[in-house]
Amino acid sequence: MSAQGGESTILIIDDNAETIQLLAAMVRDQGKIIFAMDGAAGLEMARRQRPQLILLDVEMHHMDGFEVCRRIAADPDLPHSPVIFVTAHDSTESELAGLAAGAVDFITKPLIAPVVQARVRTHLRLQAALQSLQGQASRDGLTGLYNRRFFDERMAEEFARHQRQRDLMGVALIDVDHFKLYNDHYGHQMGDTCLKAVAEAIGSGTRRPAEIVARYGGEEFVVLLPNSDWAALEHYGAWICGRVAALQLPHAASLTAPHVSISAGLSAILPEPGSSIEMFLGQADRALYLAKQQGRNCYRVAAEGAGSHGP
Ligand code: GH3
Ligand code: MG
């Protein structure tokens, strides 16, 4: 089972069709089997299919198993799937070389079905546990959205990617209006329920897979908007404010509206050497401050000449 509870995917990379068939027959009950017949094709398949486990032949032409393993460990675009080496050599040297390259285990030929199955089962279980822990560590307990730590990591990656690709990226800082008054009026527990509802509205509002929505702090959320220009920010700001207002969650103590509302500050940047994430988020924070100052239940975009409107 994978961390998501679905079927695990096992990638077999081997330049010998017979070995692939033999291995596939042995482990077919343990997951979905995919295969590649050389190192380069195997890496490409790993990139696209993100397998939970890789069974990797050591002795292959062009790119051997050690090199495949090293590339998996070094390339951030590749999933760090555990690799079990399959080899005819059972020497200590070759085992050490495999472990040094990043393999988690070894299976030596001739292949014995119960041994292969036991090793595969163990590493699939470990991988599922690891993925589950990683999933929990990146989530906020109350809302289920990503937490700030995860956001900061992804922001750094996306910042670098947009810099490489010379593309604009956007960010939105979103803060619930008069939330202290909400707690004072309805109690902290209702406050939690309200936060969950607002988080759900913002989180389920992602329109593209690369968008990342996280809880940034108490009643503040952050949305990373990849490949977004100023017009896209305007559109998103109006849309997200409208989306939360449309929940019509009563807020009798609000000084702004009879329902729960949010304010948003947005900013876009074309990352360049010398520009910083702090500066980028600082711009969005100042725009949020303006939205709060100028009435709440609205958004502001941090840009010269960019418009700024209520929902
Ligand atoms: P503004 O419109 O200026 O943002 O006013 P505000 O009252 O929302 O802002 P302020 O920063 O004064 O208060 C935020 C409140 O949010 C205070 C804090 O107790 C509450 N809060 C933060 N995290 C949670 C949470 O997890 N659950 C609940 N129920 N309340 C929270
Ligand atoms: Mg607030």
Side-chain angles (χ1 to χ4, degrees):
M1 299 268 278
S2 74
Q4 290 73 33
E7 196 182 23
S8 297
T9 299
I10 304 169
L11 168 61
I12 302 173
I13 309 175
D14 202 307
D15 59 1
N16 183 314
E18 264 176 55
T19 310
I20 290 177
Q21 274 177 351
L22 197 60
L23 276 171
M26 287 176 181
V27 300
R28 86 167 132 240
D29 292 341
Q30 296 177 283
K32 179 181 145 197
I33 312 297
I34 54 175
F35 66 88
M37 295 196 65
D38 64 60
L43 288 173
E44 187 48 36
M45 192 160 272
R47 195 187 319 276
R48 279 189 283 114
Q49 307 256 348
R50 310 191 82 77
Q52 274 68 43
L53 187 63
I54 300 176
L55 299 179
L56 178 60
D57 182 19
V58 176
E59 300 89 16
M60 289 189 293
H61 301 298
H62 308 303
M63 193 194 300
D64 69 10
F66 296 131
E67 182 56 26
V68 172
C69 208
R70 273 193 289 272
R71 290 197 191 195
I72 289 172
D75 187 340
D77 283 345
L78 287 170
H80 288 169
S81 318
V83 171
I84 301 180
F85 270 139
V86 180
T87 175
H89 297 288
D90 59 354
S91 70
T92 306
E93 292 78 47
S94 102
E95 194 162 334
L96 281 174
L99 294 171
V104 296
D105 209 347
F106 256 84
I107 296 174
T108 45
K109 292 174 187 168
L111 299 169
I112 300 163
V115 172
V116 173
Q117 286 155 358
R119 296 244 158 103
V120 165
R121 194 177 310 115
T122 297
H123 289 290
L124 283 178
R125 278 195 187 139
L126 283 172
Q127 182 65 2
L130 185 66
Q131 286 187 339
S132 163
L133 278 176
Q134 283 169 340
Q136 285 167 29
S138 63
R139 296 280 174 182
D140 164 59
L142 179 72
T143 62
L145 294 179
Y146 287 118
N147 57 26
R148 184 168 183 159
R149 203 191 59 160
F150 180 83
F151 175 82
D152 287 343
E153 283 170 17
R154 290 304 315 275
M155 171 58 111
E157 287 165 17
E158 286 295 306
F159 205 76
R161 182 173 74 83
H162 283 77
Q163 186 171 336
R164 280 198 306 276
Q165 297 177 354
R166 293 173 202 284
D167 200 1
L168 274 169
M169 70 186 290
V171 72
L173 282 178
I174 297 168
D175 186 282
V176 182
D177 296 329
H178 299 304
F179 197 59
K180 186 174 179 318
L181 293 177
Y182 188 96
N183 277 330
D184 292 348
H185 189 81
Y186 295 98
H188 199 86
Q189 215 165 342
M190 281 283 281
D192 282 359
T193 307
C194 172
L195 269 189
K196 281 194 229 177
V198 172
E200 160 68 19
I202 302 172
S204 63
T206 51
R207 293 157 303 170
R208 285 183 294 166
E211 275 181 20
I212 293 161
V213 183
R215 188 176 180 198
Y216 205 53
E219 23 79 82
E220 196 172 1
F221 303 93
V222 63
V223 185
L224 201 157
L225 300 158
N227 314 100
S228 297
D229 60 11
W230 303 101
L233 294 192
E234 288 282 336
H235 190 262
Y236 183 81
W239 183 78
I240 201 66
C241 288
R243 189 172 166 87
V244 173
L247 294 174
Q248 289 291 315
L249 299 167
H251 188 342
S254 171
L255 306 174
T256 299
H259 54 77
V260 171
S261 61
I262 55 166
S263 299
L266 300 99
S267 178
I269 194 171
L270 183 69
E272 287 168 351
S275 51
S276 76
I277 293 170
E278 290 69 31
M279 198 174 76
F280 179 36
L281 288 171
Q283 279 171 355
D285 198 38
R286 279 189 291 281
L288 172 60
Y289 178 76
L290 280 182
K292 290 282 184 188
Q293 252 195 345
Q294 296 172 4
R296 295 182 171 79
N297 191 24
C298 65
Y299 71 95
R300 292 293 180 269
V301 177
E304 279 176 54
S308 46
H309 317 282

